[in-house]
Amino acid sequence: MVLQLLPKHLQTIYTHAETTYPEECCGIILGNLTSEGKTLVEVMPTENAWNAETAAELPGDDTLDYSKRQRYAIAPQVMLQAQKEARDRKLNIIGIYHSHTDHPAIPSEYDQKLAWQEYSYIIVSVQNGKASDMKSWTLDDSHQFQQEAIEKLG
Ligand SMILES: [Zn+2]
């Protein structure tokens, strides 16, 4: 599969990632699904809702040691709102993006544990406050992340 996007989408994600640095940013991507791939239509930046409460609901007792510098969360009500908006506009939620600050654009174990099938997981790496790299990942049948090609249009 290929994820197609426009330069302005890339710019929105990069700007969001640089604004929240050194904390991780996150957001939802809406678009169209075809048999050949996904086309991004809109980037919806969301708030990083990671906090102690979110952490407490997750498995493992090390989660409280993490902050928004290493973790992100999208509030369930924000996700529902995005689903509604997508439906109204005849689009799909095609994935989630988040940033890794001073870390490469490679999914962490935590990212993998929480990932859903079919979504694209865009990760943007922000080094010293500057967004420098972006990769997209999808789960394969054995719940392992595989890199997905990003095609820039326009
Ligand atoms: Zn991550």
Side-chain angles (χ1 to χ4, degrees):
M1 295 269 266
V2 179
L3 177 67
Q4 294 182 315
L5 48 71
L6 295 168
K8 67 171 183 182
H9 297 133
L10 195 77
Q11 198 50 54
T12 303
I13 295 173
Y14 274 19
T15 304
H16 189 202
E18 290 176 357
T19 308
T20 61
Y21 181 89
E23 294 185 342
E24 293 191 1
C25 75
C26 55
I28 300 165
I29 52 173
L30 306 183
N32 294 306
L33 286 168
T34 68
S35 50
E36 289 98 65
K38 303 161 185 162
T39 309
L40 209 166
V41 174
E42 189 166 321
V43 176
M44 289 180 60
T46 65
E47 197 190 328
N48 184 350
W50 177 264
N51 59 28
E53 266 171 66
T54 333
E57 284 166 21
L58 295 167
D61 31 88
D62 58 337
T63 47
L64 286 169
D65 297 337
Y66 293 100
S67 73
K68 289 184 193 176
R69 289 181 185 223
Q70 296 99 357
R71 291 285 191 268
Y72 78 96
I74 296 175
Q77 64 269 31
V78 173
M79 209 63 203
L80 282 175
Q81 186 58 40
Q83 268 162 7
K84 186 178 178 304
E85 184 168 337
R87 242 194 334 262
D88 290 349
R89 296 172 60 187
K90 301 207 173 6
L91 296 171
N92 296 95
I93 294 181
I94 57 170
I96 305 280
Y97 73 88
H98 74 285
S99 62
H100 280 179
T101 54
D102 299 315
H103 281 284
I106 297 169
S108 65
E109 248 179 77
Y110 167 79
D111 291 335
Q112 186 179 338
K113 228 187 288 179
L114 261 70
W116 296 357
Q117 290 288 345
E118 291 173 18
Y119 274 13
S120 289
Y121 287 86
I122 293 179
I123 302 179
V124 53
S125 172
V126 188
Q127 305 282 342
N128 295 314
K130 188 101 191 85
S132 56
D133 189 23
M134 185 168 109
K135 289 186 167 61
S136 183
W137 304 83
T138 51
L139 291 175
D140 64 16
D141 293 337
S142 16
H143 206 85
Q144 299 299 311
F145 268 122
Q146 302 294 339
Q147 201 177 333
E148 176 179 55
I150 296 176
E151 189 186 345
K152 246 190 281 180
L153 306 170

